[in-house]
Amino acid sequence: MQPWPQPDRPGPGQESVWDYPRPPRLEEFGGSITVELGGRAVASTTRAWRVLETSHPPTYYLPQAAFADGVLRRADGASWCEWKGQATYFDLVTDARVAPRAGWTYLRPTPGFAPLAGAVAVMAAAVDRCTVNGETVVPQPGGFYGGWITSWIVGPFKGIPGSMGW
């Protein structure tokens, strides 16, 4: 296990994930978000939510109405989040490509996350591209977490090798 990390120092206009709370905080987000798969935009919105948790880049949740018709297909399986409750999954589907279990939602989230009910987060590594305010995001490392890294977020980020105990 890696020792407790030394947080990167945020510059002007940047946020450190080490200033985010635990338990996580939910906040509204009014910037532009897009998701692309199979050579097309499958989701676009200017109204979303961010979940902010210590050591994690923000996870963005988009209203289901932001997704094009037919691109969300319910997938098998579920998982449990100690903060938000039971997650259910979606495959993202276009004529050109399927991204298995690339989206998830909380149909009945815990009270502190009630605004997320039915909103969908997307695993950036599973699709062609995600953007926030026009900037292409970098997926949170490790393949398990769904955070989106942008130039205004500094780490280090949970998900790198040895970070399980953070």
Side-chain angles (χ1 to χ4, degrees):
M1 178 163 56
Q2 263 191 347
W4 200 257
Q6 180 67 35
D8 296 335
R9 184 180 305 257
Q14 290 184 313
E15 301 172 1
S16 171
V17 298
W18 293 94
D19 292 332
Y20 293 164
R22 186 168 172 89
R25 177 177 75 234
L26 176 65
E27 67 178 32
E28 291 185 17
F29 180 76
S32 66
I33 296 176
T34 63
V35 178
E36 298 174 11
L37 179 70
R40 66 179 268 219
V42 296
S44 179
T45 190
T46 57
R47 186 182 137 259
W49 299 267
R50 298 190 318 164
V51 173
L52 308 176
E53 180 177 359
T54 305
S55 77
H56 295 265
T59 301
Y60 291 85
Y61 288 80
L62 289 65
Q64 279 196 32
F67 289 82
D69 289 341
V71 301
L72 294 174
R73 179 177 67 200
R74 191 75 177 264
D76 290 336
S79 62
W80 182 259
C81 171
E82 65 183 309
W83 312 113
K84 296 180 287 295
Q86 183 172 314
T88 57
Y89 289 86
F90 292 104
D91 297 335
L92 272 64
V93 180
T94 68
D95 291 338
R97 185 163 171 230
V98 174
R101 291 173 53 102
W104 69 96
T105 189
Y106 296 91
L107 297 175
R108 289 177 295 285
T110 58
F113 291 90
L116 292 184
V120 178
V122 173
M123 185 70 73
V127 298
D128 297 342
R129 185 168 95 121
C130 298
T131 67
V132 178
N133 292 335
E135 180 181 334
T136 299
V137 308
V138 174
Q140 184 172 1
F144 178 74
Y145 302 106
W148 294 6
I149 301 169
T150 57
S151 62
W152 59 89
I153 306 296
V154 298
F157 306 107
K158 187 167 178 116
I160 62 173
S163 65
M164 187 61 103
W166 292 358

